[in-house]
Amino acid sequence: MRNLLFFFILIVLLSSCSQKLVPLTDSLRKDYNLNAEVMPIVQLYASKEIVLTIDSSSGERSIKNGIIYDKKGKNISEVIIFEKTPGICIGVSGSSLLVSFDERENPLTFEIYPDYVESFGKIIKKDNPNYRLQSDYWGPVSGEFNFNGRSMHTPSTNRYAHLLVDLRKVSKLEKESRVARGVKVH
């Protein structure tokens, strides 16, 4: 029984120290006054895995002994940003955030992108939009954008990748007590 109580207390202590990742929204930025000066010191996280690919085809042609040889090759480069990878905001432009997940790579752009939900046959815009990954073009299969001066592609499911922040609400209660001494009739 004693070990069980110790284990329970340990679990409670460890769970209180864990991250509380919530989506970065426009209202959260306004509520906590996260302006251009403050954003670089806020730790950001990727909400899901983001894979950026670039493929370059190369062809080498040669003629040997009267035969034409056409060698085709394909080179695929990938940048993988895993879920909960930490990043920092290196620039704010209007409703856009430039976020770097690696010092060697160019930043990605995240913008406020409203969510739409269907309710009783009507499409309704949600009030609190997230900062989502932006692309020059989102197609049905992939998104395309310029990354490190190259044309990159990412699966269209990455249009739902958004930024997370660690938000821990701490309650502070200040209590001042005094004991009434009582009042007697004179």
Side-chain angles (χ1 to χ4, degrees), residues 39-46 81 84-90 98-102 163-164:
M39 282 307 297
I41 62 171
V42 175
Q43 185 66 68
L44 303 170
Y45 299 90
I81 302 167
K84 296 184 182 175
T85 297
I88 59 169
C89 179
I90 61 169
L98 296 174
V99 179
S100 176
F101 292 100
D102 190 334
L163 295 174
L164 300 172

Side-chain angles (χ1 to χ4, degrees), residues 39-108:
M39 282 307 297
I41 62 171
V42 175
Q43 185 66 68
L44 303 170
Y45 299 90
S47 67
K48 62 181 286 184
E49 182 178 286
I50 301 170
V51 178
L52 310 168
T53 59
I54 181 170
D55 53 330
S56 57
S57 299
S58 64
E60 186 179 308
R61 295 183 179 140
S62 62
I63 300 174
K64 290 183 183 174
N65 298 330
I67 301 172
I68 301 171
Y69 292 95
D70 188 8
K71 297 180 187 174
K72 296 198 181 223
K74 199 169 200 176
N75 229 0
I76 297 178
S77 299
E78 284 187 331
V79 176
I80 301 170
I81 302 167
F82 289 109
E83 180 180 351
K84 296 184 182 175
T85 297
I88 59 169
C89 179
I90 61 169
V92 177
S93 174
S95 65
S96 299
L97 301 177
L98 296 174
V99 179
S100 176
F101 292 100
D102 190 334
E103 294 174 353
R104 298 172 292 177
E105 301 292 341
N106 282 354
L108 296 175

Side-chain angles (χ1 to χ4, degrees), residues 50-183:
I50 301 170
V51 178
L52 310 168
T53 59
I54 181 170
D55 53 330
S56 57
S57 299
S58 64
E60 186 179 308
R61 295 183 179 140
S62 62
I63 300 174
K64 290 183 183 174
N65 298 330
I67 301 172
I68 301 171
Y69 292 95
D70 188 8
K71 297 180 187 174
K72 296 198 181 223
K74 199 169 200 176
N75 229 0
I76 297 178
S77 299
E78 284 187 331
V79 176
I80 301 170
I81 302 167
F82 289 109
E83 180 180 351
K84 296 184 182 175
T85 297
I88 59 169
C89 179
I90 61 169
V92 177
S93 174
S95 65
S96 299
L97 301 177
L98 296 174
V99 179
S100 176
F101 292 100
D102 190 334
E103 294 174 353
R104 298 172 292 177
E105 301 292 341
N106 282 354
L108 296 175
T109 303
F110 289 80
E111 286 185 12
I112 295 173
Y113 192 84
D115 285 330
Y116 294 93
V117 292
E118 187 174 340
S119 176
F120 301 109
K122 292 182 179 180
I123 295 178
I124 301 170
K125 182 179 171 183
K126 285 176 132 181
D127 292 335
N128 205 2
N130 295 340
Y131 280 85
R132 288 196 184 164
L133 178 65
Q134 291 303 300
S135 168
D136 296 334
Y137 168 76
W138 284 112
V141 176
S142 68
E144 298 175 15
F145 53 96
N146 192 346
F147 189 74
N148 281 350
R150 302 178 292 181
S151 178
M152 302 287 283
H153 300 274
T154 187
S156 63
T157 55
N158 282 339
R159 77 174 68 213
Y160 301 108
H162 56 274
L163 295 174
L164 300 172
V165 293
D166 189 357
L167 178 65
R168 299 177 196 184
K169 294 187 178 184
V170 179
S171 298
K172 182 178 180 183
L173 175 66
E174 291 185 20
K175 185 176 177 182
E176 183 179 322
S177 298
R178 66 180 184 86
V179 176
R181 295 182 182 180
V183 180

